[in-house]
Amino acid sequence: MPELADKSDVVIIGGVAAGPKTAATLARRLPGARITLFQKEKHLSYAKCGFPFLASGELGSFDALVQTSYGVARDSGFFQSSKGFKTVTSAEVTQINRGKKTVSVRMCETGETFEHGYGRLVIATGSIPNRPPIPMPQSDRVRPFSSPADVTGFRDLAQRGEIDNVVIIGGGFIGVELCEAVGEMWGIGVKLFEKQPQLLPYMLDPEMAAIVQRSLAVQGVDALVDVEVEKVELDSQGKPVVFVKGREPTPADYVFLCLGVHPEGRLARESGLDVSENGAIRVDSALRTSDPDIFAGGDCIESVHRITKQPIYMPMGSLANRHGRVIAENLAGASVEFPGVVGAFVLRAFELNIGGVGLSEQTARGAGLESWSVWGSFPDRPDYNPEAKTLTLKMVYEQKTNRLLGLQAVGRGDICRRIDVFSALLHGEKAVEDLMDFEHGYAPPFAEALDPLHHMAAIAMTRERGVTFVSPDFVHAPVDRDTLVLDVREDEESASAPLPSEISKVFGEALHIPLGQLRERLHEVDRNRRILTICQRGVRSYQAALILQTAGFEDVHILSAGLQAQT
Ligand SMILES: Cc1cc2nc3c(=O)[nH]c(=O)nc-3n(C[C@H](O)[C@H](O)[C@H](O)COP(=O)(O)OP(=O)(O)OC[C@H]3O[C@@H](n4cnc5c(N)ncnc54)[C@H](O)[C@@H]3O)c2cc1C
C-alpha cells in the first residue's frame, strides 16, 4: 500500500497532461491543499506529442520526454518536492463512489486495493486508441501509436534492423505525422491506407489534402486513399500481411493502427455522470461535470465548438493543458470559463507544414452554414530573403456576413503564425474586413510588409467585386471543357515547369502569353471562349484577368493559388 492519508482535498485521476497541469496549478494557487494524483501507468507527465521524435530516433531515449527544461525528470519525487502534490503511479482508479466521496484504487503491480476519500475530484483519464472493427492479430508488430510501450516497441525493432517496410492504417493526424518519423529517419518504406477519399479527413478539404498526398508521394510514401483494409493476418514468420479490398495482400514488417481515439469515460459513465454518445464526459463552461464536486478535462471530455456552438470531440494536448488551468482556478475559488474550441492544429510531414483552424468548407456545409472559399499561395517572407518559403492558404467565410469561419494552410513556409492569428480572430468572431485590419510585426527576416492573411482578405473582397476564382481542384470539378487555359508566366518558367499533365489532359494545349506581353497580344485570345488564367501563385493571373476584363472579355476566371497548389 502506498503511504497515504485516507482522504485528500482534491483527488485527480490521470497523470499525463490535464491531470498534472491541474495539480501543479492548484498547488500554486492553494498552497497547503492536500492533492493526490493517481496514474495507471508508471510514467507521469510525459510529452506524448513528442512520440514521433522518439520513434524516429531523433530523441535518444524516452527520458527526454519526461524531463523539465532544466534536465530534471518529472517523477513522483519531483512533483512532491518541486510542485507540492502527491502522485501515486501504477495505480488504477477502478471506481468512483460518489455517495461516499471516495475512489477505489487498485495497485497495478501488486493487485492491492484500497479506497481514498476526496473533497473534490478531477477526471483526466484521457483517450483510448480506436481498434478497427476487422480481424486483427495480437502481435507486437501490429500496434497503435499511443503509449510509451508502442513507441519503444517499434523503435527497438527498427534499431535491430528488423523493419524494412511498414503499413500505416489511417491517414489522420498521427498517421500522416508518422510517415516522416519512420520514412525519413530509418529509411523504411512506408505505405499508408486511408478509407476516406482523402488524407486528413474532417481536418482539410480535399484539394488541400491532395497537396499533402502529392508531397508524400515525392518523399516516396505510397499514401492510398479510398481503400478499405479488410483484415490483418500474420504470416508463418509472424509478420503482418494487410488485406485491402480489391488489391493484392501487402506484406509488412510492422503495422501502425492510426484510427483515431475515443474518450476514456468509463469511470464517469459507471458512476452516473452525464456522458455523450461516444463516452465523452459532459462538462459546463467551468469544466464541472453533472456532479458539482467533480471536474473533468483533457481528452476525456466533450467540447463545444465556438463557431457552430455544437458539441465536438477534440482530443488535443494544447486543450488538455488549458483545461488543467481552468479547472485549478475554479477549484481554487475563482470563476473561470473555458471558452470552447476552434480546432486549431498543426503538424509536419517531411518538409511540408500542415495546419487548420475553424471550419473547412466541408464542415461548414455540414453545419448548415453557407460559405465562400478563397485560396492563395504566397512566400512567408520577401522573395529576396533566401529563407523565404511558400505556403498555400484556403480561407472559408460566411456568405451573408463575411464572418470568418476557417483557415487551412499547407506548405514549407511558416503556417503556424497564420493559424494562430486566425485562431485569435475566430475567438473574437471577426469578419474578413477585420482580417484586413490586423496589425502584424514586419521585418524582412520574418515577414512581408503585407502578410498572406492580408492578401487573403483582399482576395475575398475582390471576389465580391465580381472576379471569379476557380478552386485548385477545378480539374476534378464539373468544368467547361472548352475553357481556354491562358498561362501568363514568363517564358523560362513555362519552359522549365510545364503545366501539370492533368490540366492539359482536360483542357488541351494552353495558350502561353507572359503577363507583360498580354496587352499587345490580346488579339491572340479567343473572345468567345471561357478563359482561365494561370500563373505560379495566382497574383499574375489576377492581373491578367483584370486586363482581359478591361478589354471587354466577359467570361474570365482565375486559377486560385496558382500552380503552387497543383504541385
Ligand atoms: C503520437 C501522438 C502525437 C500527438 N501530437 C499532438 C500534437 O502535436 N498536438 C496536440 O495538441 N496534441 C497531440 N497529441 C494529443 C495529446 O497527446 C493528447 O491530447 C493529450 O495527451 C491528452 O492529455 P490527457 O491528460 O487528457 O490524456 P492522456 O494523455 O490520455 O493521459 C491520461 C492518463 O490517464 C491514465 N488513466 C486512465 N484511466 C485511469 C484510471 N482509471 N486510473 C488512473 N489513471 C488512469 C492513462 O493511463 C493516461 O496515462 C498527440 C497524441 C499522440 C498519441
Side-chain angles (χ1 to χ4, degrees):
M1 289 273 282
E3 274 186 32
L4 265 185
D6 56 5
K7 182 176 178 207
S8 301
D9 298 322
V10 175
V11 165
I12 297 169
I13 313 171
V16 173
K21 181 54 75 185
T22 305
T25 310
L26 184 61
R28 279 196 294 274
R29 293 283 278 108
L30 286 183
R34 289 172 306 161
I35 305 165
T36 303
L37 181 151
F38 293 106
Q39 161 68 331
K40 188 160 68 175
E41 299 177 77
K42 67 175 188 234
H43 300 290
L44 284 162
S45 190
Y46 53 84
K48 238 185 212 184
C49 311
F51 278 178
F53 297 94
L54 183 60
S56 70
E58 278 172 89
L59 292 180
S61 73
F62 180 76
D63 294 347
L65 297 177
V66 288
Q67 266 176 15
T68 62
S69 56
Y70 44 93
V72 174
R74 288 189 295 265
D75 57 15
S76 289
F78 165 80
F79 283 118
Q80 182 71 72
S81 58
S82 298
K83 300 287 177 178
F85 64 90
K86 186 155 193 84
T87 55
V88 187
T89 55
S90 302
E92 179 182 6
V93 171
T94 52
Q95 200 168 304
I96 300 170
N97 314 300
R98 287 170 56 202
K100 293 192 279 182
K101 290 187 84 169
T102 65
V103 290
S104 303
V105 184
R106 189 184 71 88
M107 297 306 293
C108 303
E109 279 157 18
T110 62
E112 288 171 279
T113 58
F114 59 92
E115 278 191 31
H116 188 80
Y118 63 82
R120 275 159 320 154
L121 180 68
V122 179
I123 307 176
T125 44
S127 57
I128 305 173
N130 293 332
R131 298 282 300 183
I134 52 171
M136 201 55 66
Q138 281 299 329
S139 162
D140 61 3
R141 288 174 181 265
V142 183
R143 296 177 79 136
F145 190 71
S146 168
S147 70
D150 294 333
V151 187
T152 49
F154 164 77
R155 189 175 141 138
D156 289 348
L157 288 170
Q159 254 165 348
R160 292 205 300 266
E162 291 191 29
I163 302 182
D164 290 326
N165 58 76
V166 304
V167 166
I168 299 171
I169 304 180
F173 187 108
I174 307 285
V176 169
E177 214 177 35
L178 261 178
C179 291
E180 175 184 345
V182 297
E184 185 164 81
M185 301 302 291
W186 298 101
I188 290 170
V190 183
K191 260 200 163 62
L192 184 151
F193 296 135
E194 166 56 50
K195 192 174 171 185
Q196 301 292 327
Q198 64 165 91
L199 294 177
L200 298 166
Y202 318 112
M203 299 170 83
L204 296 181
D205 283 317
E207 76 283 8
M208 299 299 278
I211 302 176
V212 178
Q213 195 176 348
R214 287 193 292 266
S215 162
L216 288 179
V218 170
Q219 301 291 343
V221 174
D222 196 5
L224 303 179
V225 296
D226 228 346
V227 290
E228 196 173 335
V229 174
E230 291 181 315
K231 62 179 175 179
V232 178
E233 288 182 352
L234 298 181
D235 67 13
S236 55
Q237 292 165 347
K239 291 200 176 165
V241 182
V242 182
F243 292 80
V244 174
K245 200 172 181 177
R247 288 174 183 268
E248 287 295 304
T250 308
D253 297 313
Y254 198 94
V255 173
F256 287 105
L257 303 174
C258 300
L259 298 146
V261 296
H262 61 276
E264 171 51 293
R266 182 186 65 79
L267 289 173
R269 190 184 63 246
E270 288 178 1
S271 63
L273 296 177
D274 197 6
V275 297
S276 72
E277 256 171 47
N278 78 337
I281 304 169
R282 292 214 162 105
V283 289
D284 64 15
S285 57
L287 303 184
R288 198 181 275 109
T289 67
S290 51
D291 180 331
D293 286 327
I294 304 181
F295 290 73
D299 282 7
C300 61
I301 68 165
E302 182 180 72
S303 299
V304 174
H305 201 288
R306 273 184 72 90
I307 300 173
T308 63
K309 315 287 182 219
Q310 294 300 311
I312 186 165
Y313 181 56
M314 190 72 70
M316 299 298 289
S318 49
L319 300 175
N321 279 285
R322 287 176 50 223
H323 291 160
R325 285 234 160 105
V326 170
I327 294 171
E329 287 296 334
N330 288 324
L331 286 170
S335 186
V336 177
E337 298 205 332
F338 189 78
V341 303
V342 289
F345 72 90
V346 286
L347 70 139
R348 193 184 70 187
F350 300 93
E351 291 180 344
L352 197 72
N353 302 319
I354 305 158
V357 61
L359 303 180
S360 66
E361 191 178 333
Q362 286 175 329
T363 52
R365 197 179 309 127
L369 293 165
E370 294 194 334
S371 67
W372 296 121
S373 297
V374 287
W375 300 259
S377 293
F378 315 94
D380 62 352
R381 53 204 92 189
D383 278 313
Y384 60 77
N385 179 337
E387 287 176 24
K389 298 194 179 88
T390 328
L391 44 91
T392 296
L393 301 178
K394 174 176 185 177
M395 181 172 83
V396 183
Y397 58 103
E398 197 171 27
Q399 284 191 12
K400 282 200 188 109
T401 62
N402 272 0
R403 176 170 63 130
L404 299 174
L405 296 178
L407 183 78
Q408 297 158 63
V410 175
R412 294 177 63 198
D414 177 4
I415 60 152
C416 206
R417 170 175 173 161
R418 279 81 210 185
I419 295 295
D420 289 350
V421 167
F422 210 88
S423 175
L425 291 166
L426 287 178
H427 273 273
E429 300 186 10
K430 300 294 183 191
V432 170
E433 295 76 7
D434 302 303
L435 183 60
M436 188 67 112
D437 286 343
F438 100 88
E439 191 170 326
H440 74 310
Y442 158 61
F446 310 105
E448 281 265 44
L450 281 175
D451 192 81
L453 289 179
H454 293 126
H455 292 305
M456 291 303 279
I459 294 171
M461 287 170 166
T462 309
R463 186 186 205 291
E464 280 183 354
R465 292 181 210 123
V467 177
T468 312
F469 290 91
V470 169
S471 157
D473 202 24
F474 73 106
V475 173
H476 302 112
V479 280
D480 176 357
R481 264 132 228 274
D482 190 38
T483 300
L484 171 66
V485 173
L486 177 59
D487 176 2
V488 296
R489 294 175 297 162
E490 295 301 298
D491 289 335
E492 309 79 62
E493 286 177 279
S494 292
S496 63
L499 294 181
S501 57
E502 256 193 321
I503 296 182
S504 29
K505 245 187 261 157
V506 175
F507 299 104
E509 199 66 15
L511 178 62
H512 173 227
I513 305 178
L515 177 66
Q517 300 172 19
L518 185 58
R519 285 176 211 274
E520 294 86 58
R521 294 175 58 187
L522 281 173
H523 57 276
E524 294 178 36
V525 187
D526 186 347
R527 283 178 183 273
N528 299 317
R529 288 172 71 185
R530 167 168 293 182
I531 316 288
L532 177 68
T533 58
I534 285 187
C535 67
Q536 186 57 24
R537 291 179 186 156
V539 179
R540 283 172 289 174
S541 323
Y542 174 54
Q543 286 294 341
L546 290 183
I547 292 171
L548 292 169
Q549 280 182 333
T550 309
F553 285 77
E554 283 176 358
D555 198 5
V556 184
H557 300 251
I558 300 159
L559 175 62
S560 297
L563 294 167
Q564 187 68 45
Q566 306 288 324
T567 51

